[in-house]
């Protein structure tokens, strides 16, 4: 919460102490640390005081964002949605600005979703542009550090350049036209330079264009002669489709006449066939009527048959019910028989157990034997416990080994993934090389000695930062080359991939004598004083054939790599070391001796960034991981063998334990046998009494079953009567069905006879129809062809479908041949003549005309620009306005001289004091309605802080000065205050009162009451 306490005198009626654009009220809801807060600043100096974290800077943020400022101005966050209180989705900032006669109320609603904002002016929706225009009209500039200096931007003020400081000051104290005039002066000077450069460039272009036009003139004349032949060819090509169309049209007319003749013949044949057709139709109608009657009869028969089936199913169901009743009675009978058997068996068992109980002697003493068995069991349990402990220890050790093995496998997988990345780069850049690589991996058995994959895959950098040296030293062709140890293997490979698969690949052969271990010309320690720290060979690992080839071909064992120190003393390095090639941090140097002058020639180039070798695999680590994996595998096998032996011993002990337990059980059973027999006999007597009580009355059950069967038989008799009635109905229907079948047979035979007689007369009719069909197709084909040729002819002549043939074409066509053969001959002759004019096109003429027109336009344009440039030189002085600026010169001790204020020379406190003094110097000249300075006194010592505060109070509390906000977490004691000041105390915490509960009068009344109680 923020509470405002204002000391001051009453303002005279009719005159407001606020200047135009001053802040009258600030309202915040769900904004940063505030849930709800309303601040009423005074018209002059407003000192906002509060502990760190209470929300002082939140008020500054509200002023900036509420007046259309960007989050970047505050230096806190780059998204406006981050200023919404945590846990809320929307924040509201409302700024009330003074303006007579009615204040301006600007409201901004900030939404977390998509970082969007909604604007209102005087409670009415508005756009951001409208808000910015309204704020600019009041000369409010929240992006100007001379007016608005937030906490996170205090250090940036001293980093402003002199030009930026001038522009910020102009915006702050000058009229809007001042900064605009300054920008126009800078633009005028820049435009003058642009005009001079532009004039020189266009003059040069004009001379080149005139020279080019002279070269085009002869080509234009030849083009016109060629065009005459082309026009004649075009006219011949236009007439040719018309002649072709006329030939096809004549064919169409001939076919049309033949078709009409065949159509007449077909009509006569159809009239002769009409009587036979009528008889066949009558026979078909009779046949359809009989078929309809047959279907109705069949449907009736099917309906009755369905009912018969339902009755038969009902009869079968009744039979099943009778069978179920009989089955239930049989089960009762069997149950009674089983009960009698159980009673007999139970009596027999009781007699046997009673006989055994009577004959059983007094039990012997078995306790010593039981104690001996218990002792043996205890020993077995102890041994089994020891084995279990050993098994647990071995399993724990096995789990640890397996976990370590998984870690090693994962790390090896990561290393393999790095190799996969390198292979993907090879595939993307050199697809043929990748295809050859896949073939090589599948056919390594075809080679006598070791083969190496492309060098970019085989080379592993020890440090990826050194990859650029190796890639700049080895050519791209060799980086993607395969390396072989013998010439025969290389020829076998190249025959396959180059000759048979047509792949563009490179291959090299390592020298017969290995050069991989050859020593450099001098130890690297001798070169340390020049900044060299290694030879190229020591920066990477590679298989022996690859390293041997690189040492032989590129002498990587003798090319040192240096640092920036080497670059700084490069001339001395070249003179003293006599090295042929060297590398510095970012350059490559090649030193040669001239064969003629014996002088040293040095060339250097900047190193290109590495592309292929940046992904490196530590081969030493990989080898160590493989060895560790093998050792762990052996350890696991040993642990498995020990566990197997323990499990075998455990199994033997389990067998022995079971045997002893069975022996103990037998002894215990012998001791408890008498008690068990007495108990069992009692149980059997109870079972026997229960069986005697569960007797079944078979006579009664038999009578009940007969009653149910008689009732079901009555129902069966009724179903049989209904079934017989249905059978009597279906017999006449079947007789009618047979009669209808005979009638259909007779009618069908008659119809077939008529169709046979009709067929003999239709052969000639069908032949005529076929002929007519062929002629129709041919006529349609010729018609379509005519239309297509017509469209082609109209398209070639650029005629619309409804357009008459132009007279100019008729006149032109009369002078041309009239047959296709003559037209083709004439056309070939003209094409031959036109082909002699090669290298010409209409673009030559167009370019000639265009260049001529451009020359004229450019000449006029240059004359106009020359006059404009002369006017600029007459009207504008030669001042360099873009270099104008303000330098702040300060001194803090009487014995020192004035120095320009910089962010590097002066201390933090000195920069803060200087910034504050400069801002106060602008206060009385300020045209902006308010100024905000946030925690600028943090770097000051107490003396300077007191002086600066007194100056701020004196300057900001003068009459008709702009509003001033000074944000500070603390104030010194016994400072000078002014009645026109407004002090805003900011409190925050979990025990704060709500806004509507804050009542200053009640607080004072309570304080007086407590004081009176204390005094009494």
């Amino acid at each position: 919460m923020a509470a405002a306490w204002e000391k001051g005198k009453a303002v005279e009626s009719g005159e407001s102490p606020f200047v135009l654009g001053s802040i009258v009220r600030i309202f915040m809801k769900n904004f940063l640390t505030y849930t709800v807060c309303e601040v009423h600043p005074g018209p002059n100096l407003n000192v906002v005081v509060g502990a760190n974290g209470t929300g002082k800077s939140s008020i500054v943020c509200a002023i900036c964002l509420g007046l259309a400022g960007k989050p970047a101005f505050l230096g806190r966050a780059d998204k406006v949605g981050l200023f919404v209180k945590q846990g809320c989705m929307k924040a509201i900032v409302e700024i009330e600005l003074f303006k007579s006669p009615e204040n301006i109320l600007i409201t901004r609603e900030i939404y977390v979703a998509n970082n969007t904002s909604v604007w209102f002016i005087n409670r009415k929706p508005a756009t951001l542009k409208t808000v910015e225009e309204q704020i600019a009209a009041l000369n409010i500039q929240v992006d100007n550090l001379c007016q608005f200096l937030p906490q996170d931007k205090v250090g940036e003020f001293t980093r402003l350049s002199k030009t930026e400081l001038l522009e910020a000051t102009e915006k702050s104290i000058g009229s809007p036209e001042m900064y605009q005039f300054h920008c126009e002066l800078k633009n005028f000077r820049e435009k003058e330079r642009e005009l001079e450069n532009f004039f020189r460039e266009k003059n040069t272009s004009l001379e080149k264009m005139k020279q080019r036009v002279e070269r085009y003139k002869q080509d234009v004349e030849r083009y016109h002669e060629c065009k005459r032949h082309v026009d004649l060819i075009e006219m011949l090509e236009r007439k040719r489709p018309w002649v072709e169309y006329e030939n096809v049209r004549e064919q169409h007319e001939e076919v049309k006449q033949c078709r009409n003749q065949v159509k007449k013949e077909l009509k006569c044949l159809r009239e002769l066939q009409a009587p036979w057709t009528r008889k066949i139709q009558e026979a078909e109608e009779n046949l359809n009527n009989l078929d309809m009657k047959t279907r109705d009869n069949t449907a009736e028969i099917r309906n009755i048959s369905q009912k018969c089936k339902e009755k038969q199913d009902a009869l079968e169901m009744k039979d099943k019910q009778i069978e179920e009743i009989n089955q239930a009675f049989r089960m009762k009978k069997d149950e009674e028989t089983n009960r009698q058997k159980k009673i007999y068996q139970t009596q027999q068992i009781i007699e046997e157990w009673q006989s055994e109980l009577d004959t059983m002697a007094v039990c012997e003493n078995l306790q010593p034997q039981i104690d001996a068995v218990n002792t043996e069991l205890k020993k077995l349990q102890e041994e089994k416990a020891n084995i279990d402990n050993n098994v647990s220890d071995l399993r724990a050790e096995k789990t640890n080994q397996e976990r370590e093995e998984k870690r090693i496998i994962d790390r090896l997988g990561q290393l393999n993934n790095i190799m996969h990345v390198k292979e993907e780069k090879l595939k993307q850049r050199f697809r043929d090389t990748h295809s050859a690589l896949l073939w090589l991996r599948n056919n390594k058995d075809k080679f006598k000695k070791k083969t190496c994959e492309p060098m970019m895959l085989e080379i592993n950098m020890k440090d990826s930062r050194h990859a650029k040296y190796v890639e700049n030293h080895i050519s791209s062709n060799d980086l993607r080359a395969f390396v072989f140890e013998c010439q025969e293997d290389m020829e076998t490979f190249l025959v396959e991939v180059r000759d048979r698969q047509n792949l563009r690949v490179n291959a090299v052969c390592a020298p017969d004598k290995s050069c991989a271990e050859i020593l450099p010309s001098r130890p690297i320690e001798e070169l340390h004083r020049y900044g060299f720290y290694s030879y190229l060979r020591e920066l990477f690992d590679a298989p022996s054939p690859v390293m041997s080839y690189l040492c032989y071909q590129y002498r990587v064992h003798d090319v040192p790599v240096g640092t920036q120190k080497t670059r700084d003393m490069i001339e001395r390095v070249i003179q003293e070391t006599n090295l042929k090639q060297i590398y510095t941090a970012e350059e490559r140097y090649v030193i040669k001796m001239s064969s003629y002058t014996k002088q040293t020639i040095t060339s250097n180039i900047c190193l290109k960034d590495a592309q292929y070798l940046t992904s490196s695999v530590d081969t030493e680590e990989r080898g160590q991981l493989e060895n560790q994996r093998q050792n762990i595998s052996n350890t696991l096998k040993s642990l498995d063998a020990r566990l197997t032996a323990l499990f075998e011993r455990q199994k033997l002990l389990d067998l022995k334990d079971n045997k002893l337990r069975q022996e103990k059980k037998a002894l215990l059973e012998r001791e408890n046998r008498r008690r068990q027999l007495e108990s069992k006999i009692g149980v059997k007597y109870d079972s026997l009494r229960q069986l005697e009580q569960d007797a079944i009355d078979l006579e009664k059950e038999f009578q009940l079953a007969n009653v149910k069967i008689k009732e079901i038989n009555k129902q069966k008799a009724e179903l049989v009567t209904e079934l017989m009635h249905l059978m009597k109905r279906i017999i006449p229907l079947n007789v009618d069905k047979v009669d209808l079948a005979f009638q259909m047979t007779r009618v069908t035979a008659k119809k077939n006879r008529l169709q046979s007689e009709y067929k003999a007369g239709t052969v000639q009719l069908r032949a005529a129809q076929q002929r007519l069909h062929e002629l129709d197709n041919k006529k349609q084909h010729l018609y379509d062809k005519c239309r297509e040729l017509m469209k082609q002819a109209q398209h070639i002549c650029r005629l619309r479908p409804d357009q008459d043939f132009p007279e100019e074409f008729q006149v032109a066509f009369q002078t041309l041949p009239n047959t296709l053969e003559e037209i083709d001959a004439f056309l070939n002759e003209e094409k031959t003549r036109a082909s002699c004019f090669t290298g010409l096109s209409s673009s030559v003429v167009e370019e000639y005309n265009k260049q001529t027109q451009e020359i004229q336009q450019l000449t006029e344009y240059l004359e106009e620009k020359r006059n404009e440039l002369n006017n600029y030189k007459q009207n504008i002085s030669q001042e360099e306005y873009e270099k104008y600026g303000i330098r702040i010169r300060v001194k803090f001790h009487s014995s020192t001289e004035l120095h320009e204020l910089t962010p590097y020379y002066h201390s933090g406190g000195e920069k803060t004091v200087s910034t504050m003094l400069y801002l106060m110097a602008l206060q009385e000249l300020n045209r902006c309605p308010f100024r905000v300075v946030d925690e600028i006194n943090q770097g000051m010592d107490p003396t300077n802080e007191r002086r600066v505060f007194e100056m701020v109070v004196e300057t900001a509390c003068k009459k008709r000065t702009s509003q001033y906000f000074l944000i500070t977490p603390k104030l010194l004691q016994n400072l000078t205050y002014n009645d026109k000041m407004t002090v805003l105390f900011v409190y925050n915490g979990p025990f704060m009162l709500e806004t509507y509960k804050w009542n200053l009068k009640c607080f004072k009344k309570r304080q007086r009451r407590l004081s009176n109680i204390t005094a009494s």
Side-chain angles (χ1 to χ4, degrees):
M1 288 293 296
W5 170 65
E6 180 180 345
K7 298 191 300 179
K9 299 177 181 178
V11 180
E12 296 179 4
S13 60
E15 182 181 356
S16 173
F18 288 95
V19 299
L20 179 65
S22 296
I23 298 175
V24 178
R25 184 174 61 89
I26 305 168
F27 175 77
M28 295 165 283
K29 183 177 180 180
N30 297 330
F31 185 80
L32 289 177
T33 58
Y34 294 111
T35 302
V36 177
C37 177
E38 189 169 72
V39 181
H40 295 271
N44 297 104
L45 175 60
N46 293 273
V47 180
V48 183
V49 185
N52 289 329
T54 55
K56 305 185 301 301
S57 296
S58 298
I59 299 174
V60 178
C61 295
I63 295 173
C64 178
L65 297 179
L67 296 177
K70 304 293 188 296
F73 297 163
L74 299 168
R76 280 196 169 196
D78 57 347
K79 295 179 180 178
V80 72
L82 299 175
F83 289 86
V84 179
K85 186 175 182 181
Q86 188 172 7
C88 301
M89 300 304 294
K90 170 187 172 183
I92 299 176
V93 176
E94 195 171 83
I95 309 292
E96 185 176 351
L97 303 175
F98 177 77
K99 185 178 181 183
S100 181
E102 184 179 357
N103 290 347
I104 299 174
L105 188 63
I106 298 175
T107 306
R108 181 175 189 175
E109 295 182 356
I110 303 171
Y111 294 89
V112 175
N114 301 325
N115 292 296
T116 55
S117 297
V118 179
W119 294 92
F120 300 87
I121 297 179
N122 295 331
R123 310 293 186 187
K124 296 179 181 179
T127 62
L128 175 60
K129 185 177 180 181
T130 306
V131 174
E132 289 175 342
E133 292 173 353
Q134 189 76 42
I135 292 170
L138 298 173
N139 200 28
I140 297 173
Q141 306 162 17
V142 293
D143 58 341
N144 187 347
L145 296 181
C146 286
Q147 178 179 350
F148 194 90
L149 194 61
Q151 177 182 354
D152 297 310
K153 294 284 186 176
V154 171
E156 289 190 11
F157 185 87
T158 56
R159 287 195 287 271
L160 291 174
S161 67
K162 63 178 183 178
T163 305
E164 293 172 339
L165 182 58
L166 173 61
E167 292 176 353
T169 305
E170 287 176 347
K171 293 177 183 177
S172 178
I173 67 172
S175 63
E177 294 80 7
M178 178 185 290
Y179 176 67
Q180 183 179 353
F181 290 156
H182 187 189
C183 292
E184 289 178 0
L185 285 173
K186 291 193 292 183
N187 292 338
F188 283 150
R189 182 62 181 147
E190 184 64 27
K191 193 170 182 181
E192 180 185 348
R193 295 194 191 96
E194 291 176 359
L195 282 172
E196 290 176 349
N197 296 332
F198 179 77
F199 188 75
R200 284 194 296 271
E201 292 173 1
K202 291 299 180 183
N203 257 331
T204 306
S205 300
L206 181 61
E207 292 299 324
K208 292 180 179 178
M209 289 171 65
K210 288 180 180 179
Q211 296 172 6
R212 195 159 48 244
V213 165
E214 287 299 323
R215 294 197 298 269
Y216 285 154
K217 191 171 183 179
Q218 185 178 2
D219 291 340
V220 171
E221 293 174 354
R222 293 181 67 243
Y223 172 78
H224 286 305
E225 183 178 354
C226 176
K227 193 170 186 310
R228 286 193 293 273
H229 294 287
V230 172
D231 291 341
L232 183 57
I233 291 170
E234 183 180 357
M235 193 57 66
L236 286 169
E237 289 177 343
R238 286 177 176 177
K239 182 173 181 180
R240 192 181 188 286
W242 287 105
V243 173
E244 190 174 359
Y245 162 74
E246 187 62 28
N247 293 339
V248 175
R249 191 187 64 78
E250 291 174 358
Q251 295 177 17
H252 175 265
E253 290 300 326
E254 292 176 1
V255 172
K256 185 176 180 182
Q257 292 176 2
C258 293
R259 174 186 172 278
N260 292 336
Q261 182 64 31
V262 172
K263 193 173 183 181
K264 291 178 182 179
E265 296 176 359
L266 182 62
K267 184 177 180 182
C268 295
L269 290 172
R270 284 177 177 167
E271 291 175 354
L272 294 174
Q273 291 290 101
W276 296 101
T277 304
R278 285 195 296 273
K279 292 180 180 180
I280 292 173
Q281 289 176 351
E282 291 174 358
E284 287 179 348
E285 290 176 359
N286 292 334
L287 195 60
N288 290 336
N289 291 333
L290 292 172
D291 184 58
M292 186 67 70
K293 292 179 180 179
T294 302
R295 281 201 294 271
D296 294 341
N297 182 272
T298 303
E300 183 68 20
I301 292 173
R302 189 181 298 110
N303 188 22
I304 295 174
S305 299
Q306 181 65 27
K307 292 180 180 179
C308 291
K309 186 176 183 305
E310 292 174 358
K311 300 298 180 183
Q312 290 173 351
D313 292 342
L315 287 171
E316 291 177 359
M317 183 60 68
K318 298 299 179 183
D319 290 338
K320 287 182 180 179
Q321 291 177 359
I322 293 171
E323 181 61 28
E324 288 174 356
I325 292 170
N326 292 329
Q327 181 66 23
F329 178 72
R330 286 194 296 271
M331 289 176 65
K332 294 282 186 181
K333 192 174 181 180
D334 293 341
E335 186 177 351
E336 178 62 20
T337 303
N338 290 334
R339 188 183 69 85
Q340 296 293 338
K341 288 181 180 179
K342 287 182 179 179
I343 290 173
Y344 175 75
Q345 291 173 356
T346 302
Q347 291 173 347
Q348 292 292 324
I349 292 172
I350 290 173
E351 291 175 359
E352 291 176 1
W353 286 351
Q354 189 64 45
S355 175
E356 184 180 355
L357 184 62
D358 293 339
T359 58
M360 184 175 294
V362 179
C363 291
E364 55 191 321
N365 187 12
L366 302 177
Q367 190 59 39
Q369 298 180 29
I370 293 173
D371 292 341
V373 171
N374 286 335
T375 303
E376 189 68 23
L377 282 172
K378 186 176 180 180
K379 292 179 181 179
L380 284 176
Q381 292 298 328
E382 291 176 355
E383 186 175 357
K384 286 175 68 177
N386 292 333
I387 291 174
D388 289 339
N389 291 333
N390 293 336
V391 168
S392 298
D393 294 341
L394 291 175
R395 282 178 173 169
E397 185 178 355
K398 182 179 179 181
T399 302
N400 292 334
Q401 293 293 332
E402 288 175 345
R403 189 180 298 113
E404 180 65 16
E405 184 181 29
K406 184 177 182 302
R407 184 191 67 78
I408 292 171
I409 291 173
D410 291 342
R411 179 56 184 162
L412 287 172
Q414 293 175 1
L415 297 178
N416 291 331
N417 286 338
I418 295 173
M419 291 299 296
H420 180 68
V421 170
K422 295 174 69 175
E423 188 175 333
E424 281 298 317
K425 289 182 180 179
L426 175 68
K427 182 179 179 181
Q428 293 172 6
R429 189 69 183 272
F430 308 109
R431 190 168 294 276
D432 284 0
T433 304
H434 185 263
S435 299
L437 173 64
L438 297 179
W439 180 88
L440 177 66
R441 288 176 177 173
N442 295 328
N443 297 274
K444 286 194 174 183
D445 55 337
K446 297 183 178 181
F447 302 98
K448 296 179 179 179
K449 293 187 177 181
K450 180 180 179 181
T451 59
C452 295
E453 295 180 354
M455 292 188 198
M456 66 173 63
L457 299 182
E458 298 286 3
I459 293 175
N460 280 309
M461 300 303 304
K462 296 179 180 178
D463 189 336
S464 59
R465 293 174 297 179
H466 299 148
K468 60 182 179 180
Y469 302 121
V470 179
E471 287 196 23
N472 280 273
H473 192 71
I474 303 172
S475 69
S476 175
N477 288 335
D478 277 354
L479 277 176
R480 58 190 178 97
F482 295 83
V483 182
F484 296 88
E485 287 189 327
C486 70
Q487 188 71 22
E488 185 179 352
D489 286 347
M490 185 176 74
E491 291 175 357
T492 303
F493 174 75
L494 292 177
V495 167
E496 174 63 32
V497 298
R498 280 188 182 175
D499 299 343
R500 297 178 184 171
Q501 300 185 23
N502 294 323
L503 300 177
R504 299 175 62 184
V505 297
N506 295 334
V508 297
C509 187
D512 295 336
K513 183 179 179 181
S514 177
C515 301
E517 302 298 331
I518 191 171
L519 297 175
S521 58
R522 69 189 77 180
I524 191 64
E525 289 77 10
E526 294 182 8
L527 301 177
H528 282 172
R529 57 197 177 103
Y530 300 112
F532 294 108
Y533 58 87
S534 175
Y535 287 107
L536 272 179
R537 181 175 62 183
E538 277 65 47
L539 298 180
F540 63 91
D541 294 321
S544 179
V546 176
M547 187 65 79
S548 176
Y549 175 78
L550 294 178
C551 291
Y552 176 77
Q553 185 69 24
Y554 291 96
R555 298 188 62 77
V556 294
H557 63 285
D558 209 23
V559 177
V561 180
T563 59
Q564 186 61 35
K565 177 182 177 182
T566 311
R567 173 67 182 85
D568 295 339
M569 55 189 305
I570 190 63
E571 293 182 1
R572 178 184 168 192
V573 172
I574 293 172
Q575 293 174 0
E576 296 180 4
T577 60
N578 295 324
L579 294 168
K580 302 299 181 184
Q581 292 188 67
I582 57 177
Y583 284 90
T584 64
E586 298 295 336
E587 292 178 321
R588 174 187 181 187
Y589 287 84
V590 179
I591 301 96
K592 297 181 180 178
M593 181 72 71
S594 174
S595 303
Y596 302 98
T597 62
K598 304 300 180 181
Q599 292 181 347
T600 301
I601 302 172
T602 305
S603 62
N604 67 309
I605 57 174
C606 291
L607 299 179
K608 298 178 182 177
D609 292 336
Q611 299 180 22
Y612 310 112
L613 302 180
T614 52
S615 301
S616 59
V617 177
D618 190 341
T619 54
E620 184 177 353
E621 179 188 3
R622 189 172 183 176
Q624 291 176 356
L625 290 173
E626 292 288 352
N627 292 335
Q628 291 177 11
R629 184 180 179 184
Q630 185 61 39
N631 293 337
I632 289 173
S633 178
N634 295 335
T635 303
L636 287 173
K637 289 179 181 178
S638 174
L639 291 174
D640 288 338
R642 291 169 64 187
L643 282 172
T644 302
L646 289 174
F647 289 148
E648 290 294 332
R649 178 60 182 166
Q650 197 175 41
K651 188 176 179 181
L652 292 174
L653 292 176
D654 287 340
L655 291 173
K656 190 173 180 180
D657 182 78
N658 290 335
K659 185 177 179 181
L660 288 172
R661 290 182 184 277
Q662 288 175 2
E663 184 178 349
K664 180 181 177 181
K665 182 179 178 183
L667 292 172
L668 291 173
E669 285 178 354
R670 285 172 59 188
E671 186 178 2
N672 298 326
R673 180 62 177 167
R674 183 178 184 85
R675 290 191 296 273
Q676 290 176 358
L677 285 174
E678 292 174 351
S679 176
K680 286 181 180 181
I681 290 171
V683 172
K684 285 297 180 181
Y685 272 121
D686 293 340
S687 176
L688 182 62
R689 283 192 294 272
Q690 184 65 35
L691 287 172
E692 290 174 348
Q693 292 174 4
D694 293 339
I696 298 173
D697 190 350
L698 292 178
E699 185 65 27
K700 184 178 178 181
E701 293 293 333
F702 179 75
Q703 290 176 0
L704 290 174
N706 284 337
V707 172
K708 293 179 180 179
I709 291 171
K710 286 179 181 179
E711 183 63 27
I712 292 171
N713 285 331
K714 288 180 182 179
Q715 296 174 3
K716 284 178 64 178
E718 294 175 359
L719 290 173
V720 171
T721 302
E722 293 175 0
L723 181 61
M724 293 300 295
H725 178 69
L726 292 172
M727 294 298 292
K728 289 178 181 179
R729 286 178 58 192
I730 202 171
I731 291 172
L733 290 173
N734 283 324
V735 173
D736 293 341
K737 182 178 179 181
V738 173
D739 184 48
L740 289 172
F742 285 144
Q743 292 180 30
M744 286 185 68
T745 303
R746 288 195 296 272
V747 174
T748 302
K750 182 179 179 182
K751 177 187 172 184
N752 291 337
R753 177 173 54 78
L754 290 171
Q755 285 180 341
S756 298
E757 294 173 354
Y758 175 78
K759 187 176 181 181
T762 56
V763 174
Q764 187 177 0
L765 179 63
R766 194 175 294 109
Q769 289 176 340
Q770 181 66 26
R771 174 64 176 159
L772 178 64
H773 180 69
E774 292 174 356
L775 290 172
D776 278 338
N777 290 340
K778 187 173 182 181
K779 173 179 171 293
Q780 185 63 35
H781 173 71
L782 291 172
Y783 177 73
D784 293 341
K785 190 174 181 180
C786 283
R787 290 185 63 186
E788 185 65 28
L789 292 172
M790 172 66 80
K791 288 180 182 178
Q792 291 179 7
Q794 289 175 341
H795 176 70
I796 291 174
C797 295
R798 298 183 180 86
L799 299 177
R800 297 189 303 275
D802 57 345
Q803 185 178 355
D804 296 332
F805 197 69
E807 186 178 352
E808 55 177 313
F809 284 168
Q810 294 178 9
V811 174
F813 285 178
Q814 288 176 0
T815 60
L816 299 176
N818 294 322
T819 64
L820 290 175
E821 292 78 6
E822 293 174 347
I823 288 174
D824 290 340
F826 197 9
L827 192 60
N828 291 332
E829 181 181 351
E830 287 300 318
K831 285 182 178 179
T832 302
R833 292 178 179 175
S835 64
C836 297
F837 297 91
T838 57
L840 298 176
S841 66
S842 59
S843 61
V844 177
V845 180
E846 292 174 1
E847 186 66 22
Y848 177 78
N849 295 332
K850 181 180 177 182
Q851 292 286 342
T852 304
Q853 186 178 2
E854 286 180 356
I855 288 172
Q856 183 180 356
Q857 292 175 352
L858 187 56
T859 303
E860 297 172 355
Y861 181 70
L862 285 176
E863 187 63 29
E864 179 183 346
K865 289 297 178 182
R866 183 184 289 109
N867 296 333
E868 184 178 349
L869 180 60
N870 292 333
N871 291 334
Y872 260 94
K873 290 182 177 180
Q874 292 174 4
N875 297 330
I876 304 299
S877 64
Q878 300 303 310
E879 294 287 342
E880 295 184 353
Y881 301 105
E882 65 275 6
K883 295 184 179 179
Y884 279 19
I886 292 178
R887 286 191 177 96
I888 301 176
R889 298 172 63 83
V890 297
K891 71 174 183 177
F892 293 88
H893 305 283
S894 58
S895 60
T896 60
E897 296 181 355
L898 288 169
H899 290 281
E900 184 178 347
L901 180 65
T902 65
Y904 314 108
Y905 180 79
H906 294 92
S907 67
E910 291 174 343
K911 289 186 289 185
T912 305
V913 171
S914 302
T915 302
M916 202 65 191
L917 292 176
Y918 184 78
L919 294 179
M920 295 314 302
L922 301 180
Q923 178 67 14
E924 295 185 13
L925 303 174
N926 207 359
R927 294 176 57 87
C928 59
F930 64 85
R931 175 179 286 119
V932 177
V933 180
D934 189 2
E935 297 193 14
I936 199 169
N937 59 338
Q938 291 303 293
M940 300 182 190
D941 58 73
T943 302
N944 281 325
E945 184 177 353
R946 184 178 298 277
R947 290 175 180 174
V948 169
F949 184 82
E950 291 174 353
M951 185 179 296
V952 170
V953 172
E954 179 184 356
T955 306
C957 292
K958 291 182 179 180
K959 186 176 182 180
R960 304 305 296 173
T961 59
S962 60
Q963 195 178 34
Y964 202 102
F965 290 87
L966 179 63
I967 317 296
T968 177
K970 62 181 178 60
L971 288 174
L972 298 175
Q973 295 181 355
N974 302 319
L975 291 173
T976 302
Y977 295 93
N978 190 290
D979 292 341
K980 294 183 179 181
M981 288 175 56
T982 300
V983 182
L984 301 170
F985 295 100
V986 182
Y987 300 98
N988 209 338
F991 305 106
M992 287 299 300
L993 290 176
E994 299 292 339
T995 306
Y996 64 89
K997 295 181 180 178
W998 185 271
N999 192 327
L1000 191 60
K1001 292 181 179 179
C1002 293
F1003 298 159
K1004 291 182 177 179
K1005 186 184 295 184
R1006 184 183 180 190
Q1007 184 182 13
R1008 285 196 296 271
R1009 187 171 66 251
L1010 292 174
S1011 299
N1012 294 333
I1013 294 172
T1014 304
S1016 61

